[in-house]
Amino acid sequence: MNAKRLTLVAGTLAATAAVAYAQLGGYTQSDLTKTATGKTLLQVIGDLNQYYLYPVDQEKLLRGAINGAIGSLNDEFTYYSEPANNAVDQQNLSGEFYGIGVTLNAANADGTGGKIDNVYKNGAAAANGVQIGDVFVKIGDKDVLNSKLDEIVRLVRGTKGTFVNVTFARGGKTYNVKMERQPVVIVSVEETMLPGNVGYIALNTFYNEKASDQFAAAVANMKKKNVTKLILDLRDNGGGLLSAGVDVADQFLQTGNIVSLRERSGKTTVYGKAAKRNSDYTGKLIVLVNKNSASASEVVSGALQDAKRATILGEQTFGKGVAQIPITTVDGGKVAIVNSSWLTPLGREIHKKGITPDVLVKDTRSVTPLNFSGGGIAAGSKITLTVAGKPVTVTADKEGKFTYTGEAKRPVRSTTQGEASVDIVADAQVKKALELLK
């Protein structure tokens, strides 16, 4: 990571926040009483406390007002994180925490619950026999079968040397393990070698202060192996730190602008410029993107595309062309406020447009699982459909309705952090990239 740039960014954000606060004069209750709408807000809060039939949760009430204020902007990228969520967020940003050494995803179709997606070697979970696919049932005494994923993460993580009791379900049976929370370093970069001495580096997120250093190390490793053909995989990378995006792009560029920021006033400032270094990779380069490649991923792919430094291959990207200023709130939470749009070196604004690849290839790694629903049969009745020669049986609920969602195909992942697993047969984008690099 380029520490100098990181410091510059942090200093700029802090200064901007201080100026904004000074200009507002610390917006107070007296300011609210100057308008009818402001008076109404205070009146409604007071009336709820005085007249509402049930006890009013003051914290929930005020946080609702905060989220309502932000929601009025109708901007999905301006948001407020409550203190508990922000604490986990800051751990993710720092790139390390104390946990059990797993990654997880939602266990239920509605996004709730937690299921083990990967178990890393040498972690507490691996030592205790936890396996991919195990479902969280309880953490301590708390039932988490239908809890939000971020709540499960908060409960699993903790302080150094503490223990966590987890009840898992596997194959219809439950088991309990007590695990000591151990240091976990988030490795955002994965690498491997592909046929033809083609290097492969996947960057999973830019939201990690260690990502720049990890990426630089991966590039250095490729150079040691005399790699002259490289695939950079930014698929499903939703972005993160803009400084990290600049650092990554700079690994492939020797000169020119990388990205510029445009403020509300229309003023445009160059944020990052490339510099020639001996550590730069100068060989052939293909960048993989898909519909989930966003923000800093688009900064990198846009800069490399404008400079004609790389072939961008894949799907139209997400289209997040705005930057946020993160401000820590007095309660320990965080508000992220969109404060500028960003432009590619050639002045392209990609917000809600995305980056169009030079070579369009559909991402074939994930296939929508079989799903169907219906009704009109007797409660408790079973219905069997034959799909691709295989029977699928569902049972109607008490209203005669039935729903089925098949298991989504899980991508193969290495249990060693930093090691990439690539399916060069089923992955159409990687397959095409290898053809272009021949």
Side-chain angles (χ1 to χ4, degrees), residues 14 25 40 62 71 118 141 148 159 163 191 202 282 293 298 346 365 376 396 398 407 430:
T40 300
L62 294 176
N118 204 1
D141 295 327
K148 292 182 178 180
T159 56
F163 289 82
E191 59 179 293
T282 57
S293 302
E298 295 170 300
L346 294 181
R365 295 172 303 161
K398 61 182 180 181
E407 186 76 17
V430 168

Side-chain angles (χ1 to χ4, degrees), residues 174-415:
T174 61
Y175 71 96
N176 180 265
V177 289
K178 181 179 181 181
M179 295 171 281
E180 182 179 2
R181 296 181 175 99
Q182 300 174 359
V184 176
V185 175
I186 300 174
V187 179
S188 300
V189 180
E190 298 175 347
E191 59 179 293
T192 192
M193 294 299 297
L194 300 179
N197 202 45
V198 174
Y200 172 92
I201 302 176
L203 180 55
N204 301 321
T205 181
F206 290 90
Y207 201 73
N208 179 353
E209 291 176 347
K210 301 181 186 296
S212 292
D213 280 343
Q214 291 172 358
F215 189 80
V219 171
N221 194 34
M222 291 296 162
K223 294 186 69 175
K224 287 180 182 178
K225 296 178 180 179
N226 297 315
V227 167
T228 59
K229 300 175 182 179
L230 180 66
I231 296 173
L232 169 59
D233 194 342
L234 296 178
R235 294 176 296 182
D236 298 324
N237 184 326
L241 297 173
L242 186 56
S243 57
V246 169
D247 286 346
V248 168
D250 199 6
Q251 294 278 310
F252 306 107
L253 298 168
Q254 283 71 59
T255 186
N257 297 340
I258 293 175
V259 65
S260 296
L261 297 179
R262 178 173 292 167
E263 301 173 3
R264 180 170 59 186
S265 66
K267 179 183 177 182
T268 301
T269 305
V270 175
Y271 178 85
K273 289 187 176 183
K276 186 176 182 179
R277 298 180 178 85
N278 292 332
S279 58
D280 289 346
Y281 170 82
T282 57
K284 291 184 179 179
L285 178 64
I286 290 182
V287 180
L288 304 183
V289 295
N290 66 1
K291 61 185 178 181
N292 297 319
S293 302
S295 191
S297 293
E298 295 170 300
V299 168
V300 174
S301 53
L304 297 177
Q305 187 178 58
D306 279 5
K308 300 188 185 305
R309 174 64 185 87
T311 299
I312 311 302
L313 185 154
E315 302 172 331
Q316 189 81 8
T317 61
F318 182 85
K320 180 182 181 290
V322 292
Q324 298 125 303
I325 175 173
I327 300 172
T328 300
T329 53
V330 294
D331 64 350
K334 179 187 74 175
V335 58
I337 302 174
V338 168
N339 74 324
S340 58
S341 59
W342 62 261
L343 312 173
T344 71
L346 294 181
R348 291 187 290 162
E349 288 196 56
I350 63 92
H351 194 50
K352 297 185 178 181
K353 300 175 185 176
I355 299 290
T356 302
D358 302 306
V359 180
L360 289 168
V361 180
K362 184 177 176 60
D363 188 351
T364 58
R365 295 172 303 161
S366 300
V367 179
T368 302
L370 171 67
N371 61 90
F372 58 83
S373 61
I377 61 177
S381 297
K382 295 183 181 296
I383 183 169
T384 300
L385 300 180
T386 301
V387 181
K390 296 181 179 180
V392 178
T393 302
V394 292
T395 303
D397 62 19
K398 61 182 180 181
E399 296 179 352
K401 298 179 180 179
F402 54 87
T403 301
Y404 176 83
T405 301
E407 186 76 17
K409 179 183 177 183
R410 179 187 177 275
V412 177
R413 292 191 176 93
S414 172
T415 57

